[in-house]
Amino acid sequence: EVQLVESGGGLVQPGGSLRLSCSAPRFTVSTNYMSWVRQAPGEGLEWVSIIYSGGSTYYADSVKGRFTISRDNSKNTVYLQMNSLRAEDTAVYYCARTNWNALRGAFDIWGQGTMVTVSS
Amino acid sequence: EIVLTQSPATLSLSPGERATLSCRASQSISSYLAWYQQKPGQAPRLLIYDTSNRATGIPARFSGSGSGTDFTLTISSLEPEDFAVYYCQQRSNWPPLTFGGGTKVEIK
């Protein structure tokens, strides 16, 4: 069954912005730690950002100052606002639940991914 | 930043054979290590968390071991559906949360 649904990807020019969304039909995002993980074409996995249940946020150095993670509890949705996009941000972006305590920080639920392409 | 180095990059094996995948951390990460399986066009799937605990629904042929800096994922007898890319991931010392570069298990 689908547990995370991402949307918002697409083609954007360098320097542009995009906002990704991640909704969770089957659990409450505000009581969980939620992350974004990306995967460039043909490459491995790279953690991008996390938002704690308490609201604290953290970022990879590669996106710090350009990307912002947030959530809307009323919509049970997590967002990734991406500004000043670069070619190297081109990737599939996955939303993932980060099971911090019970599973010691493992990503136990993943979305299907949304493709972001930064190109002129 | 903790760097995770996976080896080998590619493992060529036949169905029924045993697969042994390695993940080495640049410093001790206690037991905060997870393993994922990823097939082409799909999201990763959690296999193992906290070094040796199988995630829900993961077959018993998958096992994890190790501590400190050296970790192993073992697939006792490869099934056709096990040919995929495998990643390790740590959360001991962060940010950032980090992944290894991956090991591709391919059919020989």
Side-chain angles (χ1 to χ4, degrees):
Chain A
E1 75 246 352
V2 175
Q3 297 207 55
L4 287 171
V5 180
E6 298 109 332
S7 61
L11 174 64
V12 61
Q13 292 187 339
S17 298
L18 215 52
R19 189 179 79 159
L20 307 182
S21 300
C22 169
S23 65
R26 297 185 177 273
F27 65 90
T28 303
V29 298
S30 63
T31 60
N32 285 274
Y33 291 15
M34 300 295 296
S35 289
W36 288 94
V37 176
R38 69 184 180 183
Q39 186 170 36
E43 300 295 323
L45 301 168
E46 180 189 18
W47 171 77
V48 172
S49 181
I50 190 170
I51 183 166
Y52 279 6
S53 52
S56 298
T57 60
Y58 298 89
Y59 301 91
D61 285 347
S62 57
V63 306
K64 200 173 295 181
R66 301 188 298 123
F67 290 11
T68 302
I69 190 170
S70 63
R71 68 177 182 235
D72 183 331
N73 295 344
S74 67
K75 296 182 178 179
N76 204 35
T77 298
V78 176
Y79 302 98
L80 186 68
Q81 177 67 44
M82 304 186 295
N83 299 330
S84 303
L85 282 161
R86 307 166 179 167
E88 54 265 36
D89 295 319
T90 294
V92 174
Y93 284 73
Y94 295 102
C95 176
R97 187 174 76 171
T98 317
N99 199 314
W100 201 254
N101 293 318
L103 302 192
R104 308 272 266 183
F107 302 99
D108 63 343
I109 298 174
W110 296 71
Q112 82 285 359
T114 187
M115 183 70 203
V116 173
T117 303
V118 184
S119 175
S120 55
Chain B
E1 171 177 334
I2 292 181
V3 176
L4 298 178
T5 302
Q6 291 188 241
S7 63
T10 303
L11 199 52
S12 298
L13 295 168
S14 300
E17 289 193 293
R18 182 184 188 88
T20 302
L21 288 67
S22 173
C23 177
R24 177 164 290 178
S26 58
Q27 59 185 275
S28 178
I29 57 171
S30 183
S31 64
Y32 291 102
L33 189 94
W35 291 92
Y36 302 84
Q37 177 194 68
Q38 188 179 33
K39 297 178 181 179
Q42 296 184 16
R45 177 176 71 145
L46 176 65
L47 298 175
I48 301 286
Y49 65 92
D50 199 21
T51 296
S52 60
N53 296 283
R54 279 189 300 277
T56 303
I58 302 304
R61 64 181 180 273
F62 291 91
S63 64
S65 63
S67 66
T69 60
D70 291 311
F71 299 85
T72 300
L73 174 69
T74 301
I75 310 171
S76 59
S77 178
L78 283 164
E79 297 288 338
E81 62 268 28
D82 298 337
F83 292 92
V85 180
Y86 293 83
Y87 295 95
C88 57
Q89 172 251 327
Q90 69 83 28
R91 80 106 181 174
S92 174
N93 188 347
W94 78 286
L97 297 164
T98 54
F99 291 89
T103 290
K104 181 179 181 180
V105 178
E106 65 176 22
I107 299 176
K108 186 175 181 180

